């Protein structure tokens, strides 16, 4: 309450130049109530402006109506009351129009000048995750339940070493039934041979051969239920122990295998920020690691197309990352906005320093745009203007 009163006094006295009376504020708290009241008034104005701008951008046609209504409620009515009050003061001779015009002009000029001074890219960072380079992705070769887990996360495995074993009861029942048919067909071959019935022997051998091929195909699928390491290296499979007893689909990613001395950073860049890629290639980018000293790495590759697919599970908000995702029924979660994937190379010392799956932040080099330049480019890049 005291802060609001002082904010009204501050605006009347120092912006409009009126002879307003300073409100009586309890003296022990006056030193912080006065700046708090002014800061709260500025915050409300900026917050309301941001909400109105967001509504206009998100809801398109309906958002324009919301924006007009919001401006009328939050700014139109107070401005109308202020104009009436100023007109009354002018009639009574308590308001000097020249002084008011000069103060308002100076204030507006200062705000506009600030847009050309305040930078818009002082906190331009993007999330990234540590990966093997190149990563050997371990995927489930068939559908089934995880029956047993043979290794743990971070274990060093040899090529072909079992990682997990799957259980597919439907496949097992099919194999048993086919095995039974094969044994019966083999018995029929022996019976025809014993009776020296050549036509029956030929039919029985043909039938047994067909069952043998089907049985070999099922045997291969049964062998695929034991997922082995496709290459030698260290296994990175976070929370692999939680897969015990769960159903996995064919092609589902289980983990990755790679060399601890060869790693890279995969970052997800906003589509608008990716337009400045040429300025990033000139100098190494700064890597900020929580709890560690920062270092620099060079951008090696940038995808040519943006995508709303999650670049890495560690970066999604459901796993503690900073990328917001949208969950859709009967579909994989997607990013709220498209992003471009970029890759940075790490040397041996940096690779040993970071763990696979660790999240870091990459400080992007920018063109040092001011707020005015950023607003102008955002307006030019808007879909409505670009389509004209």
């Amino acid at each position: 309450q005291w802060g609001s009163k002082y904010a009204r006094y501050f605006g009347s006295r120092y912006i409009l130049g009126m002879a307003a009376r300073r409100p009586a504020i309890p003296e022990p708290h006056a030193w912080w109530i006065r700046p708090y009241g002014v800061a709260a008034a500025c915050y409300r104005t900026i917050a309301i402006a941001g909400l109105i701008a967001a509504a206009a951008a998100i809801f398109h046609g309906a958002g324009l109506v919301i924006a007009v209504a919001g401006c009328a409620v939050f700014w139109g009515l107070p401005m109308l009351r202020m104009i009436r009050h100023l007109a009354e003061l002018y009639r009574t001779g308590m308001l000097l129009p020249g002084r008011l015009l000069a103060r308002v002009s100076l204030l507006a000029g200062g705000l506009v000048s600030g847009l050309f001074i305040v930078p818009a890219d002082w906190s331009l960072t993007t999330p990234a995750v540590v990966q093997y380079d190149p990563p050997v992705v371990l995927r489930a070769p068939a559908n089934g339940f995880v029956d047993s887990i043979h290794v743990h996360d971070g274990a060093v495995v040899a090529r072909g070493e079992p990682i997990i074993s799957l259980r597919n009861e439907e496949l097992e029942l099919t194999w048993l039934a086919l095995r039974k048919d094969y044994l019966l067909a083999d018995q029929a071959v022996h019976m025809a041979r014993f009776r020296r019935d050549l036509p029956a022997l030929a039919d029985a051998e043909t039938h047994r051969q067909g069952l043998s091929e089907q049985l070999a195909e099922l045997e291969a699928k049964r062998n695929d239920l034991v997922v082995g390491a496709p290459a030698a290296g260290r296994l990175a499979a976070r929370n692999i122990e939680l897969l015990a007893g769960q159903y996995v689909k064919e092609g589902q990613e289980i983990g990755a295998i790679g060399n601890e001395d060869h790693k890279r950073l995969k970052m997800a860049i906003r589509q608008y920020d990716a337009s400045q890629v040429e300025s990033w290639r000139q100098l190494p980018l700064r890597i900020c690691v929580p709890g560690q000293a920062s270092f620099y790495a060079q951008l090696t590759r940038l995808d040519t197309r943006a995508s709303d697919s999650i670049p890495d599970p560690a970066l999604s908000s459901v796993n503690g990352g900073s990328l917001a995702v949208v969950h859709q029924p009967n579909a994989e979660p997607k990013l709220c906005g498209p992003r471009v994937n970029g890759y940075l190379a790490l040397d041996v010392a940096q690779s040993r320093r970071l763990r696979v799956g660790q999240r870091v932040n990459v400080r992007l080099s920018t063109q040092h745009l001011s707020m005015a330049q950023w607003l102008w480019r955002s307006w030019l890049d808007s879909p409505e203007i670009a389509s004209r």
Side-chain angles (χ1 to χ4, degrees):
Q1 179 183 2
W2 294 112
S4 300
K5 290 182 178 180
Y6 186 80
R8 288 194 293 270
Y9 160 76
F10 184 88
S12 301
R13 176 66 179 84
Y14 296 102
I15 297 178
L16 300 180
M18 299 169 53
R21 179 179 298 179
R22 177 180 294 186
I25 302 177
E27 196 55 39
H29 308 288
W31 64 273
W32 66 268
I33 290 180
R34 292 169 182 167
Y36 168 79
V38 177
C42 296
Y43 171 77
R44 285 196 299 269
T45 302
I46 296 174
I48 292 172
L51 292 174
I52 292 175
I58 295 175
F59 299 106
H60 302 289
L64 184 60
V65 177
I66 296 175
V68 172
C71 292
V73 172
F74 293 107
W75 291 322
L77 295 179
M79 287 292 294
L80 182 60
R81 289 195 294 266
M82 186 182 70
I83 292 174
R84 290 178 177 175
H85 180 63
L86 293 177
E88 183 65 26
L89 293 177
Y90 177 74
R91 283 194 297 268
T92 58
M94 298 178 61
L95 179 66
L96 299 177
R99 181 183 298 180
L100 175 62
L101 181 61
R103 288 178 178 267
V104 173
S105 300
L106 288 176
L107 178 62
L111 293 176
V112 173
S113 300
L115 294 178
F116 291 91
I117 298 174
V118 177
D121 53 5
W122 59 275
S123 61
L124 183 55
T125 59
T126 189
V129 63
V130 183
Q131 295 181 336
Y132 285 124
D133 188 20
V136 180
V137 181
L138 186 66
R139 301 184 183 275
N143 299 331
F145 291 91
V146 178
D147 188 52
S148 57
I149 301 173
H150 305 287
V151 296
H152 58 84
D153 180 27
V156 178
V157 296
R159 182 181 179 86
E161 181 177 347
I163 304 297
I164 63 173
S165 297
L166 304 178
R167 182 183 74 256
N168 190 320
E169 297 179 354
E170 182 180 357
L171 180 62
E172 193 68 20
L173 292 175
T174 304
W175 179 83
L176 290 175
L178 192 60
R179 177 68 178 172
K180 176 183 177 181
D181 294 339
Y182 175 80
L183 293 176
L184 292 175
D186 185 67
Q187 184 179 4
V189 169
H190 288 290
M191 290 295 296
R193 186 174 296 151
F194 176 77
R195 296 174 180 173
R196 296 184 178 181
D197 188 348
L198 296 182
L201 177 61
D203 293 341
E205 288 180 343
T206 302
H207 182 55
R208 185 181 64 175
Q209 180 63 26
L211 292 176
S212 176
E213 294 175 357
Q214 296 180 37
L215 194 60
E217 185 177 342
L218 282 181
E219 286 281 358
K221 292 184 178 181
R222 290 180 73 234
N223 294 333
D224 285 342
L225 294 178
V226 179
V227 183
R234 188 178 296 274
L235 174 67
R238 185 176 56 180
N239 300 329
I240 189 175
E241 65 277 0
L242 299 180
L243 291 177
Q246 292 190 12
Y247 182 80
V248 295
K249 297 181 180 180
E250 181 179 357
Q252 179 177 336
E253 182 176 340
I254 298 173
I257 299 175
N259 191 329
E260 287 295 311
D261 294 339
H262 298 87
K263 296 176 184 176
R264 69 184 184 187
L265 293 179
K266 183 177 183 180
M267 57 181 179
I269 312 166
R270 293 182 302 177
Q271 190 173 7
Y272 173 79
D273 298 333
S275 61
Q276 305 183 30
V277 62
E278 292 303 325
S279 62
W280 304 344
R281 298 185 186 274
Q282 299 174 3
L283 297 173
L285 303 181
R286 185 178 179 182
I287 313 301
C288 302
V289 185
Q292 300 183 22
S294 61
F295 60 92
Y296 292 87
Q298 191 73 37
L299 178 68
T300 57
R301 183 166 63 89
L302 190 73
D303 291 348
T304 57
R305 297 182 61 183
S307 174
D308 59 357
S309 300
I310 300 177
D312 191 280
L315 296 178
S316 66
S317 57
V318 295
N319 294 322
S322 58
L323 298 184
V325 298
V326 177
H327 292 272
Q328 301 176 349
N330 302 324
E332 295 293 331
K334 299 291 185 180
L335 296 176
C336 291
R339 288 190 173 244
V340 180
N341 296 329
Y343 301 88
L344 296 93
L346 300 177
D347 57 29
V348 175
Q350 295 168 348
S351 298
R352 293 179 178 178
R353 175 180 168 184
L354 302 177
R355 305 183 310 274
V356 172
Q358 185 176 358
R359 291 184 290 266
V360 300
N361 291 317
V362 180
R363 179 74 164 83
L364 301 177
S365 301
T366 65
Q367 299 175 357
H368 303 291
L369 301 177
S370 65
M371 285 295 298
Q373 291 173 321
W374 181 81
L375 291 172
W376 175 255
R377 292 195 176 188
S378 300
W379 181 75
L380 290 179
D381 293 338
S382 62
E384 293 80 3
I385 300 301
S387 61
R388 293 181 181 178

